[in-house]
Amino acid sequence: MTKAIERPEQFFLQKYGLSTSSLESAIGGVLGKRIDYADLYFEYQTSESISLEEGIVKKVSKNISQGVGVRAIAQEKTGYAYSDDITTDQLLVAAKTARYIAEEGGSKGSVPVQVTAPSRNLYPVSTPPIEIPVEQKIKLLEEIDRIARQYDPRIKKVMASFSSEQKIVLIANSQGVVTGDVLPLMRLNVSCIAEEQGNRQVGTFGGGGRREYSYFLDERRFEEYAMEAARQAIMNLSAIDTPAGVMEVVLGPGWPGILLHEAIGHGLEADFNRKGTSAFSGKIGQRVASELCTVVDDGTLPWRRGSLNVDDEGTPTGRTVLIEKGILKGYLQDRLNATLMKMPLTGNGRRESYAHSPMPRMTNTYMLAGESSPEEIIRSVRKGLYAVSFGGGQVDITSGKFVFSASEAYLIENGKIGSPVKGATLIGNGPDVLTKVTMVGNDMSLDSGIGTCGKDGQSVPVGVGMPTIKVSELTVGGTKS
Amino acid sequence: MQFDINRAEELLKRAEKKGATGGDLIVVEGDSFSAQVRLKEVEKISNARGKSLGLRVFFGKRSAITSTSDLSPASLDRLVEDTCTLAQIAAEDPFAGLPPPELLAKHFPELDLVDTEVEKLPIEKKIDLARRAEQAALESDPRLTNSEGADFGHYHTFVLFASSNGFHGHYETTGASLSAMPIATQDGQMQRDYWYSSRRKLKDMESPEAIGKKAAMRTLRRLGARKVSTQQVPVIFDPENAASLLGHLASAISGYSIYKGASFLIDKLGTQIASNALTVYDDPTLRSGLGSRPFDGEGLPSYKKTVVENGVLKTYLLDTYSGKKLNLPSTGNAVRGISDPPSVGTSNFHMKPGKYTPQEIIRSVKSGLYVTELIGFGVNSVTGDYSRGAVGLWIENGELAYPVEEITIAGNLKEMFQQIEMVGNDLDPWRKTAAPTLKITRMTVAGN
C-alpha cells in the first residue's frame, strides 16, 4: 500500500521531472505582452470501478489519466490547450497555442513562482479509498446483493457498484502562485428492480464523498443503502398515476435540494451574469425568494462530495451567501469572470479535468434550516404532493425555466401522506419559485453524496441540501388530468 | 498514429505470457480544435491532442479492463501487470468471452469518413465561420440583443482495435460542427435557442448564414411564451425531439436492458411494439455518416439491419455478451469505450420517413402542442413512464398559434409508440439518431 501523497509538487517533480524552474519558464512562455493571466493545471488521476449484477462482479476496471492544461487570458479572451504528455517540450507547444489569442508574440521568459500548500485539508484520509484492496470491495458488493434480495422476495434484480478515484493536481499561475491538492472521492450505488405480476419497478440509493472507505462500514451504511433501494422499488409497485397540474408541493429534506441547484444555482453562476444571459442578471439586491429562504454555496464542508480545499484555479473555496432572507446577494465566480466583473473571487472556478478550461460552478448548495417541523408542514396541506427522492434536473438559465424529476412521491390528502405516485417531472420558473416557499422545516440535511453536475459538456461532483419545504404552487407533470 | 498493430499484438502476447487466455486492446488517438466567438469577438480558442489505450484481459471466464493516457513503455508494462492481477480477482462469469473468430470482420467497407480540408483551414478562417454564423443570427431581427456565442469545432480521431482471437483493424474519422445560440428580448422576457450543423466533411455542412438564420428563427418564435392549462391533446414532436424518442427505443431494446429486466420492452421480440407507421433501421455503413464505422467494438462486421418494421420489433441490439445472455447472436452493435468493456450502442439509427409534410401534420391538429425542446430526465426505462419539461408552439385549428413554456408532457412510451399517428417526410439523414416530425395521438400536458 502506498503512502498518501502529501506534497503534490513533489509528486509531479518526481514523476515527470518538472522543477520549479520549468514551471517558471512555461508560464513565462504563455505570458505575452497582451496576456493578462496564464495558468498551468497538472493532473494525475487514477480511478477504479467495480460493478455487480446477477450476484456476480461483472466489471472490474482501472483507469489512469494524466495531462496538463495551459490557459492564457487576455481580457475576455481565453486560449486553452492541453496535452497528455507531461514534458517540458509539450508544455511549450501548448503554451504557444494558448497564447494565440493575443495577436502579438514575445514571451516574458520566466515568471518566478512559489509553492504554497492549501491551509487546510477538508478530506484527510489515512488510506485513499482507491488503495483499499479490490477483494474487500467485491465482498461488500456481494453483501449488498444479499441484503437487498432478503428485503423482499419481489426484489428480482440487484445492481451494485463501487467507484473511487484519486486526483492529484498542481496549479501554477502567472501571479507566481503554485498550489496543489490531493482529492479522494468514492461512491457506492445500489439499484433494485422489484417485480410483481408483470409490474416492474426500480429503486435506487447510494452515497459517498471525499472520505475514508470505512465510512460505508460505519453504522452499516452499506446495509442502509441496500435496504433503501429495495424499499423504494417495492414501494413503487403500488404507485398510482400522478395528478397533473398546479398544486401545493412539499419537498423532503436532503437530495430534493436539487431544486436549489437547478432553480437558483446555475442562474447565479457569474459567466451567465457577466454576459447578461441569465434570468437572474442584474437582480442583486432584489427579492427572489420568500423571507424564509437563505441559500448558500459552501465548498468548505469537510468530507463532502462537492467540497474542495482549493478550486481548480488554486483559489481557496469559501462559503458564498447566494440568497439571504429572500434577497439575492451574490454570484459564483471564477477568475475570468470575477476579474471582468471587478468582483471578489469565491473559489468556484472548476473543471472536469486537464482537458477542460475552468468555469464558475457550484460546490455544495443548500438552504439553511427554518423553524417548522416536517410533520407540521405536511399537516398544513389539504391536497398536494410530497416528493422525497429525485432523479436529475435541468434548467434553461435564460428563460429561467427548470425541471427536476421525482423518483419517489406521495399524495397528501387532508394533511396526511397517502398513496405513492409514479415519478413525475416538476417544472417551475427559477426567479419566482422560491417566492412561493411558505414553510421551511427545521430538519436541514445534506444529500448522501451522489450529485454530478453537467455544464457545457463538463461534469463535476457536487452536493445539495435542504430542509423540508412547502412550495405553495408548482406544476406537476403527471398523467391524470 | 504512434501506436501500431505490432505494439498492440506484443502487449496482448505479454498478457498471455502472464497466464491470460485472451484479451483485446483499443487505442484512440486524436486532436481537436474549437473556436468560440461572442458578440463578434473571439472568446475562446482551444486545441487538444490526446491518446489513450484500453486493455481487456481474460483468465478463462474471469476478466478485467484497464486504461491509461500514459503510453510510455514503463506505464504499459504496469498496465499489463495490473490488468492480469485484477482479472484473477474478478468473479467467474460463465457468459464472458471474446466473439468466435469465424464471426470477425474480414473485409472493411469503404465509408468515406475522413475530410482533411477542415484541418488545412487557417485559424482565422475557422474563427470567421463562427463569426459569420453569429452575425447572421443577430442581424435577423432587432429583438436579438445578446448572444451565448457561436462555436466552430473539428476533430480527427484514429481508432485501432486488436484482439487475441486474430482481429486487427483500424480506421480514422473526422468531424466538424458549427452552432449559434442567440438571445432575444421582448417585454422583459428573455429567450434563447440554437441551431447547429455537424458533419464528417466541411463541404456537407450547412452554411454559417443558414445556421445563424435558423437559430434566430427558433429563438424569436419563443418570445411571448406562456403556460397553457392542463389537458390531454395530440402532441407533435419536431425532428430534433422525435429523435429523442428513438433514443429511448434504442436503450429499451439494448440487450443489456433486456436481460437485466430493466426495460419496458422485454419479451416483446416479434410483437407489435408501435403503430405500423414506425420502421427503424440501424445502418453503420451509411457513407460519411456520423454513426458509421467499418467494424463494431468487438471486431464484428458492420451491416444494415431493420430494427422495427411496420411497428413489429424485429431484433434487439446486441453485442456478444448480451447476446449470449439471451441465447442470440450478436447484431454487431458492440461499442467499445477506452475504460469500459463492450456495451451496446447504435450506429446511424434512423426512422423511415413517412409521406406527410410537417405542415400537413400540424394542419391535422385542432388543438395541441408542437414540441421544439424537451428538458429534464423524466423517462423511466423500466416502466416506460414518461414526463418531461417542454417548450413549443400551441396549435389552434391547424396553425401554429403562440409559444408555450413551463409545461410538461407525460404518458408512457409503450402507449406513445402505439400512438404514432402520422410520420413526416422530413428526415435529416446526416444525424446519427434521426426521426422525422411525428404526431402522437394523445398525451397529458400539465400547465396551469
Side-chain angles (χ1 to χ4, degrees), chain B residues 78-260:
Chain B
R78 221 186 72 198
L79 189 83
V80 172
E81 186 79 46
D82 282 358
T83 325
C84 290
T85 310
L86 276 180
Q88 293 173 79
I89 300 169
E92 280 208 4
D93 182 345
F95 295 90
L98 294 169
E102 64 273 17
L103 295 185
L104 296 170
K106 309 277 184 308
H107 310 284
F108 305 132
E110 174 42 56
L111 299 173
D112 196 17
L113 305 177
V114 177
D115 172 25
T116 51
E117 285 310 303
V118 60
E119 294 164 350
K120 292 184 198 146
L121 287 179
I123 292 188
E124 294 73 19
K125 288 267 189 230
K126 297 177 189 173
I127 292 170
D128 201 46
L129 290 171
R131 199 173 265 145
R132 279 164 58 196
E134 191 195 44
Q135 191 175 352
L138 296 181
E139 277 176 5
S140 299
D141 194 287
R143 290 170 296 173
L144 293 160
T145 50
N146 200 347
S147 169
E148 278 282 6
D151 278 34
F152 176 75
H154 64 87
Y155 62 86
H156 193 159
T157 304
F158 300 82
V159 178
L160 179 149
F161 180 72
S163 73
S164 63
N165 59 358
F167 183 87
H168 49 80
H170 54 88
Y171 61 95
E172 45 182 308
T173 61
T174 59
S177 65
L178 178 60
S179 65
M181 188 185 270
I183 292 175
T185 313
Q186 180 178 290
D187 303 329
Q189 189 193 58
M190 238 188 331
Q191 294 287 356
R192 70 174 184 191
D193 211 316
Y194 73 102
W195 191 245
Y196 73 100
S197 178
S198 178
R199 303 283 189 267
R200 292 244 174 255
K201 300 188 171 194
L202 195 60
K203 70 173 171 58
D204 295 327
M205 291 201 15
E206 290 175 46
S207 75
E209 287 71 26
I211 293 164
K213 281 187 184 137
K214 190 148 184 199
M217 180 277 288
R218 290 170 57 92
T219 304
L220 290 166
R221 71 180 177 185
R222 291 173 69 150
L223 283 171
R226 50 180 138 138
K227 269 173 108 158
V228 285
S229 60
T230 301
Q231 55 193 296
Q232 293 194 335
V233 287
V235 174
I236 297 174
F237 290 74
D238 76 359
E240 289 276 291
N241 293 292
S244 74
L245 297 179
L246 231 47
H248 303 319
L249 172 70
S251 75
I253 59 170
S254 148
Y256 288 88
S257 309
I258 299 292
Y259 87 71
K260 289 177 189 174

Side-chain angles (χ1 to χ4, degrees), chain A residues 253-445:
Chain A
W255 181 235
I258 186 172
L259 164 82
L260 305 171
H261 180 99
E262 302 299 348
I264 305 289
H266 279 297
L268 296 179
E269 288 164 346
D271 43 357
F272 303 122
N273 288 282
R274 172 175 64 81
K275 298 174 189 172
T277 60
S278 163
F280 287 95
S281 298
K283 285 197 155 66
I284 285 211
Q286 291 182 25
R287 174 164 298 282
V288 295
S290 80
E291 260 185 9
L292 302 169
C293 300
T294 295
V295 180
V296 302
D297 183 85
D298 190 347
T300 70
L301 304 171
W303 316 112
R304 304 301 308 187
R305 185 174 163 85
S307 297
L308 299 166
N309 290 319
V310 290
D311 72 5
D312 298 325
E313 301 179 305
T315 309
T317 52
R319 179 182 190 271
T320 306
V321 177
L322 301 175
I323 294 172
E324 189 171 24
K325 293 183 175 161
I327 306 297
L328 183 61
K329 288 288 174 185
Y331 297 132
L332 299 171
Q333 296 284 0
D334 66 354
R335 190 173 283 276
L336 170 76
N337 291 288
T339 306
L340 293 170
M341 293 172 87
K342 300 190 169 58
M343 290 175 90
L345 290 168
T346 59
N348 289 86
R350 302 186 64 185
R351 56 177 122 201
E352 179 178 313
S353 76
Y354 67 87
H356 304 87
S357 74
M359 32 182 190
R361 303 296 293 264
M362 286 171 260
T363 58
N364 304 294
T365 314
Y366 59 96
M367 182 185 284
L368 304 192
E371 289 175 355
S372 308
S373 74
E375 298 74 25
E376 187 185 338
I377 295 176
I378 287 168
R379 234 179 3 244
S380 75
V381 177
R382 204 179 63 80
K383 200 170 182 309
L385 190 78
Y386 176 49
V388 288
S389 189
F390 283 86
Q394 199 180 337
V395 61
D396 174 337
I397 50 102
T398 302
S399 71
K401 305 300 177 276
F402 69 90
V403 297
F404 58 133
S405 300
S407 53
E408 181 182 359
Y410 303 84
L411 296 175
I412 308 178
E413 279 163 326
N414 298 318
K416 291 204 173 67
I417 296 172
S419 296
V421 292
K422 287 178 184 167
T425 286
L426 276 56
I427 189 163
N429 182 30
D432 68 36
V433 64
L434 293 190
T435 62
K436 296 172 181 165
V437 172
T438 51
M439 292 176 93
V440 174
N442 54 14
D443 56 343
M444 150 61 197
S445 78

Side-chain angles (χ1 to χ4, degrees), chain A residues 155-281:
Chain A
I155 297 292
K156 300 293 184 207
K157 305 267 180 184
V158 179
M159 288 149 269
S161 64
F162 184 97
S163 49
S164 55
E165 64 172 56
Q166 166 110 324
K167 212 164 162 168
I168 306 165
V169 302
L170 186 73
I171 305 145
N173 71 25
S174 57
Q175 292 166 347
V177 179
V178 177
T179 187
D181 200 4
V182 180
L183 303 102
L185 186 66
M186 61 175 189
R187 179 175 165 174
L188 179 60
N189 208 65
V190 189
S191 272
C192 294
I193 294 179
E195 189 174 343
E196 185 176 46
Q197 292 165 352
N199 177 12
R200 274 192 321 278
Q201 297 289 341
V202 63
T204 301
F205 198 76
R210 303 192 187 280
R211 298 178 187 272
E212 211 68 76
Y213 175 76
S214 59
Y215 173 78
F216 291 129
L217 311 178
D218 297 343
E219 302 163 36
R220 293 183 70 78
R221 274 196 185 86
F222 68 96
E223 184 171 331
E224 177 202 326
Y225 292 4
M227 309 243 297
E228 181 57 24
R231 185 196 62 76
Q232 267 191 35
I234 296 294
M235 186 277 307
N236 279 327
L237 285 174
S238 58
I240 58 171
D241 285 344
T242 313
V246 176
M247 62 196 81
E248 275 193 312
V249 175
V250 175
L251 298 170
W255 181 235
I258 186 172
L259 164 82
L260 305 171
H261 180 99
E262 302 299 348
I264 305 289
H266 279 297
L268 296 179
E269 288 164 346
D271 43 357
F272 303 122
N273 288 282
R274 172 175 64 81
K275 298 174 189 172
T277 60
S278 163
F280 287 95
S281 298

